[in-house]
Coordinates of all heavy atoms in Angstrom, one line a residue:
I7 N 7.5 -36.3 -31.4 CA 6.8 -35.1 -31.0 C 5.7 -35.5 -30.0 O 4.9 -36.4 -30.3 CB 6.2 -34.4 -32.2 CG1 7.3 -33.8 -33.1 CG2 5.4 -33.2 -31.7 CD1 6.8 -33.2 -34.3
A8 N 5.7 -34.9 -28.8 CA 4.7 -35.2 -27.8 C 3.4 -34.6 -28.2 O 3.3 -33.4 -28.7 CB 5.1 -34.6 -26.5
V9 N 2.3 -35.4 -28.1 CA 1.0 -34.9 -28.4 C 0.2 -34.6 -27.1 O 0.2 -35.5 -26.2 CB 0.2 -36.0 -29.3 CG1 -1.2 -35.5 -29.5 CG2 1.0 -36.2 -30.5
S10 N -0.4 -33.5 -27.0 CA -1.2 -33.2 -25.8 C -2.3 -34.2 -25.6 O -2.9 -34.6 -26.5 CB -1.8 -31.8 -26.0 OG -2.7 -31.5 -24.9
R11 N -2.4 -34.6 -24.3 CA -3.5 -35.5 -23.9 C -4.9 -34.8 -24.0 O -5.9 -35.5 -24.0 CB -3.3 -36.0 -22.5 CG -2.1 -37.0 -22.4 CD -1.9 -37.4 -21.0 NE -1.4 -36.3 -20.2 CZ -1.2 -36.4 -18.9 NH1 -1.4 -37.5 -18.2 NH2 -0.8 -35.3 -18.2
N12 N -4.9 -33.5 -24.2 CA -6.2 -32.8 -24.3 C -6.0 -31.6 -25.2 O -5.8 -30.5 -24.7 CB -6.6 -32.3 -22.9 CG -8.1 -31.9 -22.9 OD1 -8.6 -31.6 -24.0 ND2 -8.7 -31.9 -21.7
P13 N -5.9 -31.9 -26.5 CA -5.7 -30.8 -27.4 C -6.7 -29.7 -27.4 O -6.5 -28.5 -27.7 CB -5.6 -31.4 -28.8 CG -6.4 -32.7 -28.6 CD -6.1 -33.1 -27.2
G14 N -8.0 -30.0 -26.9 CA -9.0 -29.0 -26.8 C -8.7 -27.9 -25.8 O -8.9 -26.7 -26.1
I15 N -8.1 -28.3 -24.7 CA -7.6 -27.3 -23.7 C -6.6 -26.4 -24.3 O -6.7 -25.1 -24.1 CB -7.1 -28.0 -22.5 CG1 -8.2 -28.7 -21.6 CG2 -6.3 -27.1 -21.6 CD1 -9.0 -27.7 -20.8
A16 N -5.6 -26.9 -25.0 CA -4.6 -26.0 -25.6 C -5.2 -25.0 -26.6 O -4.8 -23.9 -26.6 CB -3.6 -26.9 -26.3
E17 N -6.2 -25.5 -27.3 CA -6.9 -24.6 -28.3 C -7.6 -23.5 -27.6 O -7.5 -22.3 -28.0 CB -7.8 -25.4 -29.1 CG -8.5 -24.6 -30.3 CD -9.4 -25.5 -31.1 OE1 -9.6 -26.7 -30.7 OE2 -10.0 -24.9 -32.1
I18 N -8.3 -23.8 -26.5 CA -9.0 -22.8 -25.7 C -8.0 -21.8 -25.1 O -8.2 -20.6 -25.1 CB -9.8 -23.4 -24.6 CG1 -10.9 -24.4 -25.2 CG2 -10.6 -22.3 -23.8 CD1 -11.7 -25.1 -24.2
Q19 N -6.9 -22.3 -24.6 CA -5.9 -21.4 -24.0 C -5.3 -20.4 -25.0 O -5.0 -19.3 -24.7 CB -4.8 -22.2 -23.3 CG -5.3 -23.2 -22.2 CD -5.8 -22.5 -20.9 OE1 -6.5 -21.5 -21.0 NE2 -5.5 -23.0 -19.8
D20 N -5.1 -20.9 -26.2 CA -4.6 -20.0 -27.3 C -5.6 -19.0 -27.6 O -5.3 -17.8 -27.7 CB -4.3 -20.9 -28.5 CG -3.0 -21.7 -28.4 OD1 -2.2 -21.4 -27.5 OD2 -2.9 -22.7 -29.2
Y21 N -6.9 -19.3 -27.6 CA -7.9 -18.4 -27.9 C -8.0 -17.3 -26.7 O -8.2 -16.1 -27.0 CB -9.3 -19.1 -28.0 CG -10.5 -18.2 -28.1 CD1 -10.8 -17.6 -29.3 CD2 -11.3 -18.0 -27.0 CE1 -11.9 -16.8 -29.4 CE2 -12.4 -17.2 -27.1 CZ -12.7 -16.6 -28.3 OH -13.8 -15.8 -28.4
T22 N -7.8 -17.8 -25.5 CA -7.8 -16.9 -24.4 C -6.7 -15.8 -24.5 O -7.0 -14.6 -24.2 CB -7.6 -17.7 -23.1 OG1 -8.6 -18.7 -22.9 CG2 -7.6 -16.8 -21.9
F139 N -16.2 -22.4 -26.9 CA -15.8 -23.8 -27.0 C -16.8 -24.7 -26.2 O -16.3 -25.7 -25.6 CB -14.4 -24.0 -26.5 CG -13.4 -23.4 -27.4 CD1 -13.0 -22.0 -27.3 CD2 -12.7 -24.1 -28.4 CE1 -12.1 -21.4 -28.1 CE2 -11.8 -23.5 -29.3 CZ -11.5 -22.2 -29.1
E141 N -18.8 -26.9 -27.0 CA -18.8 -28.3 -27.5 C -17.8 -29.2 -26.8 O -17.9 -30.4 -26.8 CB -18.6 -28.4 -29.0 CG -17.2 -28.1 -29.5 CD -16.9 -26.6 -29.6 OE1 -17.8 -25.8 -29.3 OE2 -15.8 -26.3 -30.0
Q142 N -16.8 -28.6 -26.1 CA -15.8 -29.4 -25.4 C -16.1 -29.4 -23.9 O -15.3 -29.9 -23.1 CB -14.4 -28.8 -25.6 CG -14.0 -28.9 -27.1 CD -12.6 -28.3 -27.3 OE1 -11.8 -28.3 -26.4 NE2 -12.4 -27.8 -28.5
L143 N -17.2 -28.7 -23.5 CA -17.5 -28.6 -22.1 C -18.6 -29.6 -21.6 O -19.6 -29.7 -22.3 CB -18.0 -27.2 -21.8 CG -18.5 -26.8 -20.4 CD1 -17.4 -26.9 -19.4 CD2 -19.2 -25.4 -20.4
E341 N -0.8 -26.0 -13.9 CA -0.8 -26.2 -15.4 C -0.7 -24.9 -16.1 O -0.2 -24.9 -17.2 CB -2.1 -27.0 -15.7 CG -2.1 -28.4 -15.3 CD -3.5 -29.1 -15.5 OE1 -4.4 -28.4 -15.9 OE2 -3.6 -30.3 -15.3
I408 N -10.5 -21.6 -16.7 CA -10.8 -22.6 -17.8 C -10.3 -24.0 -17.4 O -11.0 -25.0 -17.5 CB -10.3 -22.1 -19.1 CG1 -11.0 -20.9 -19.6 CG2 -10.4 -23.2 -20.2 CD1 -10.4 -20.1 -20.7
R409 N -9.0 -24.0 -17.0 CA -8.5 -25.3 -16.6 C -9.2 -25.9 -15.4 O -9.4 -27.2 -15.3 CB -7.0 -25.1 -16.2 CG -6.1 -24.7 -17.3 CD -6.2 -25.5 -18.6 NE -5.6 -26.9 -18.4 CZ -4.4 -27.2 -18.9 NH1 -3.7 -26.4 -19.6 NH2 -4.0 -28.5 -18.7
M412 N -12.5 -27.4 -16.7 CA -12.3 -28.6 -17.5 C -11.9 -29.8 -16.8 O -12.0 -30.9 -17.3 CB -11.3 -28.2 -18.7 CG -11.9 -27.3 -19.7 SD -13.3 -28.0 -20.6 CE -13.5 -26.7 -21.8
K415 N -15.4 -33.5 -14.6 CA -16.1 -34.3 -15.6 C -17.3 -35.0 -15.0 O -17.4 -35.3 -13.9 CB -15.1 -35.4 -16.2 CG -13.9 -34.8 -16.8 CD -14.2 -34.0 -18.1 CE -12.9 -33.6 -18.7 NZ -13.1 -32.7 -19.9

Side-chain angles (χ1 to χ4, degrees):
I7 296 175
V9 178
S10 171
R11 289 177 293 177
N12 194 341
I15 285 286
E17 187 180 2
I18 300 174
Q19 301 291 43
D20 288 342
Y21 174 76
T22 302
F139 291 87
E141 70 279 358
Q142 298 180 30
L143 175 66
E341 290 172 352
I408 292 168
R409 298 305 291 254
M412 291 298 189
K415 301 293 185 183

